[in-house]
Amino acid sequence: MEKLPYEKPYIKKLQAGALNKFGSRTGLQPVKSIDGVSVKSLIENYGSPVFVLSEKQIRKNYRAAYRAFSTRYPKVQFAWSYKTNYLNAVCQIFHQEGSWAEVVSGFEYRKALGNGVPGNKIIFNGPGKSINDLQLAIEHNSLIHIDHFDELNLLLTLSKNLVNKPRVAIRINMDTGVYPLWDRFGFNYENGEAWSAVTKITGSGSLQLVGLHCHIGTYMLSADAYGIAANKLAELAVRCQTELNHKIEYLDLGGGFPSTNTLKGAYLPGNDTVPTIDDFAEVITSALLNFGFANDDLPLLILESGRVLIDDAGYLLGTVIANKRLANGKGAAIVDFGVNILFTSFWYEHQVSPAQDFAAHTENMVIYGPLCMNIDVIRESINLPLLNPGDQVVVHKVGAYNMTQWMQFITLRPAVVLIDEKLRTHLIRKNETLEYTAEPELVPAHLNNNK
Ligand SMILES: *Cc1c(COP(=O)(O)O)cnc(C)c1O
């Protein structure tokens, strides 16, 4: 019989507990406060609906993630994924913790500069950089991650007569055993395209190839996929060294670690099923440590985690407008926030908690938003007690991708409040007003009846 390969032991927090007969671990409890600040007072002071972020939880998440990697690998750097949540106050928390910025557009790039991030700590990703964006990034000595050959050719033109060669990396897509393949971004590994890009850059003499990058997916449930990705990047880095005598300074494994939200249609809650950040850290760092780099020659490991660092630090508080019974007898509650501000309700079965005491009886109901649109469903099916008009609710784990993808549609976007570590509350984005939405509009004179 073949001997099983040795696996070194590691300690992992046990997350699973006993299920009750409804599948979840805990009974339904009212959620009357966030970090000790009462839901009632938050709504009273900032309006309803209102997004609330916990600074304490954001920092806790960041430190746990950093610890998971830095205790296993000597050179680790996180870069905050701006598109996950680019409210300036949020970005500054991550930058205070030591995070660089990871941006995917000229707008985000300028936002990072505005937040005081030094140019050489901004990673510029994405397929849509303009000439102006690239020039700005070159001037600030940023890390430009090239997505395609047209961008590479443009960069070669822009850098022809420069004394300081721009520092670039290439984004690489690959088969990691997770399908459908994300082959739309970057250069493909398996068909040799990535290697062609490498040799074109190193042969040009006008760009410095400093890193290799991948971002293999989002809400990834397979830690093993990251082991495959780490191996493929490491293989290319070693090949650069041996065949081109060129040293790669860093490997950027991107983001994609899942938050503990429950995906729509999942049988078990996300809390019980998603791998932990330690699982991912273990697989990625083992792959790199075992690859055969000399100990003093390990590449810097960069991570661009987004949702896992902030989802559970965000809450949406709202108010019940009405309840009704549908023609089929099912209960329904109408709340004052719609899918236009809670985009992730298309993907997740967000936990919704009443914010006040309630009667013991619960029933299966649907939660609608206030938009005059059939798709405006926050939860298709959730067990909750009777919710009366004026009752308040808390939606959990909404910190990622809502405060960037939200849109002004039918209703205005609400305020965002940060609770700091001393439990003080800060308005970090004002609620929108009619004047705010009207400001960029222009009415031609012949249509201006009232003036
Ligand atoms: C969106 C994005 C991230 C963050 O992804 P998460 O799944 O939220 O961790 C990181 N890197 C790149 C290139 C991205 O586009």
Side-chain angles (χ1 to χ4, degrees):
M1 215 173 78
E2 212 179 328
K3 203 173 149 208
L4 288 173
Y6 172 74
E7 283 179 43
K8 80 178 153 99
Y10 71 100
I11 294 170
K12 182 188 160 184
K13 214 190 283 174
L14 254 185
Q15 301 271 353
L19 302 182
N20 69 24
K21 65 178 173 177
F22 302 110
S24 67
R25 267 202 311 275
T26 49
L28 193 60
Q29 298 285 339
V31 173
K32 296 181 184 177
S33 62
I34 314 288
D35 283 4
V37 181
S38 91
V39 169
K40 221 178 210 48
S41 70
L42 285 162
I43 286 182
E44 228 163 67
N45 293 330
Y46 300 100
S48 178
V50 58
F51 278 100
V52 176
L53 287 160
S54 162
E55 182 174 345
K56 187 169 93 186
Q57 190 64 40
I58 294 174
R59 291 187 189 273
K60 193 173 151 196
N61 291 345
Y62 178 85
R63 288 171 194 174
Y66 185 75
R67 195 183 319 118
F69 281 90
S70 62
T71 52
R72 293 176 165 93
Y73 193 82
K75 290 152 79 181
V76 176
Q77 178 63 52
F78 276 78
W80 175 238
S81 155
Y82 263 44
K83 76 174 186 292
T84 306
N85 189 320
Y86 46 55
L87 292 173
N88 290 332
V90 167
C91 296
Q92 296 293 13
I93 297 173
F94 285 104
H95 298 323
Q96 273 187 1
E97 290 287 337
S99 209
W100 294 357
E102 185 274 324
V103 302
V104 292
S105 71
F107 155 69
E108 288 189 356
Y109 184 85
R110 288 167 180 82
K111 219 170 191 305
L113 284 182
N115 282 331
V117 183
N120 64 358
K121 296 182 173 176
I122 304 178
I123 294 173
F124 200 167
N125 281 318
K129 311 174 193 85
S130 70
I131 293 185
N132 281 344
D133 297 339
L134 289 172
Q135 255 156 352
L136 191 65
I138 291 171
E139 273 165 37
H140 285 87
N141 198 25
S142 295
L143 298 163
I144 302 171
H145 286 190
I146 304 169
D147 185 76
H148 47 259
F149 279 112
D150 286 329
E151 184 179 42
L152 172 50
N153 291 332
L154 183 55
L155 272 171
L156 288 174
T157 311
L158 293 175
S159 61
K160 203 153 254 149
N161 301 315
L162 295 179
V163 185
N164 294 323
K165 291 190 262 179
R167 297 195 303 148
V168 303
I170 54 167
R171 176 153 176 184
I172 297 168
N173 69 66
M174 58 182 75
D175 186 347
T176 58
V178 174
Y179 307 97
L181 292 178
W182 265 29
D183 58 3
R184 123 159 219 213
F185 302 104
F187 302 91
N188 185 255
Y189 172 84
E190 284 82 13
N191 70 9
E193 201 182 37
W195 184 249
S196 304
V198 164
T199 52
K200 184 159 186 179
I201 295 168
T202 53
S204 75
S206 48
L207 297 170
Q208 297 179 63
L209 182 68
V210 290
L212 301 173
H213 171 233
C214 67
H215 173 60
I216 60 175
T218 192
Y219 199 92
M220 298 289 286
L221 293 171
S222 158
D224 292 341
Y226 284 87
I228 295 172
N231 269 304
K232 288 184 174 174
L233 290 193
E235 192 269 340
L236 273 186
V238 168
R239 194 169 165 202
C240 279
Q241 186 67 58
T242 50
E243 289 187 28
L244 306 171
N245 195 25
H246 177 86
K247 188 178 152 135
I248 296 291
E249 292 170 25
Y250 68 85
L251 301 180
D252 180 344
L253 267 289
F257 308 146
S259 71
T260 54
N261 255 308
T262 303
L263 275 188
K264 272 197 168 179
Y267 182 65
L268 287 169
N271 271 338
D272 299 336
T273 49
V274 303
T276 66
I277 199 113
D278 282 279
D279 295 335
F280 290 105
E282 181 63 23
V283 171
I284 291 171
T285 57
S286 315
L288 296 184
L289 292 171
N290 295 331
F291 198 82
F293 293 103
N295 247 350
D296 53 358
D297 219 24
L298 283 166
L300 171 70
L301 169 59
I302 297 181
L303 298 146
E304 307 170 338
S305 292
R307 68 178 76 238
V308 72
L309 298 182
I310 198 166
D311 223 6
D312 67 353
Y315 303 82
L316 178 58
L317 318 185
T319 307
V320 177
I321 295 171
N323 65 50
K324 66 197 284 184
R325 200 150 293 280
L326 305 176
N328 62 8
K330 188 167 174 160
I334 305 172
V335 293
D336 63 355
F337 51 88
V339 291
N340 62 318
I341 63 162
L342 198 66
F343 242 74
T344 52
S345 50
F346 291 124
W347 311 107
Y348 292 141
E349 292 183 354
H350 282 296
Q351 185 196 338
V352 180
S353 306
Q356 54 282 307
D357 291 320
F358 47 80
H361 176 72
T362 63
E363 71 168 319
N364 191 269
M365 65 174 80
V366 49
I367 301 183
Y368 293 123
L371 308 181
C372 207
M373 295 277 289
N374 212 35
I375 56 162
D376 190 22
V377 182
I378 301 297
R379 283 295 304 268
E380 268 140 32
S381 167
I382 180 170
N383 259 333
L384 283 176
L386 179 69
L387 294 171
N388 290 304
D391 280 357
Q392 294 168 344
V393 294
V394 176
V395 188
H396 300 263
K397 300 179 190 171
V398 301
Y401 296 105
N402 285 304
M403 283 155 253
T404 46
Q405 291 193 82
W406 54 0
M407 49 180 175
Q408 186 271 303
F409 175 62
I410 302 183
T411 59
L412 299 167
R413 288 175 284 197
V416 183
V417 175
L418 180 76
I419 303 176
D420 73 17
E421 292 183 291
K422 293 179 175 148
L423 306 190
R424 293 171 303 200
T425 59
H426 306 267
L427 184 63
I428 60 168
R429 192 179 195 272
K430 295 185 209 167
N431 60 307
E432 285 175 349
T433 59
L434 177 59
E435 293 70 40
Y436 172 88
T437 62
E439 199 271 332
E441 285 198 47
L442 303 164
V443 179
H446 72 286
L447 300 175
N448 216 336
N449 291 336
N450 301 320
K451 290 187 186 149

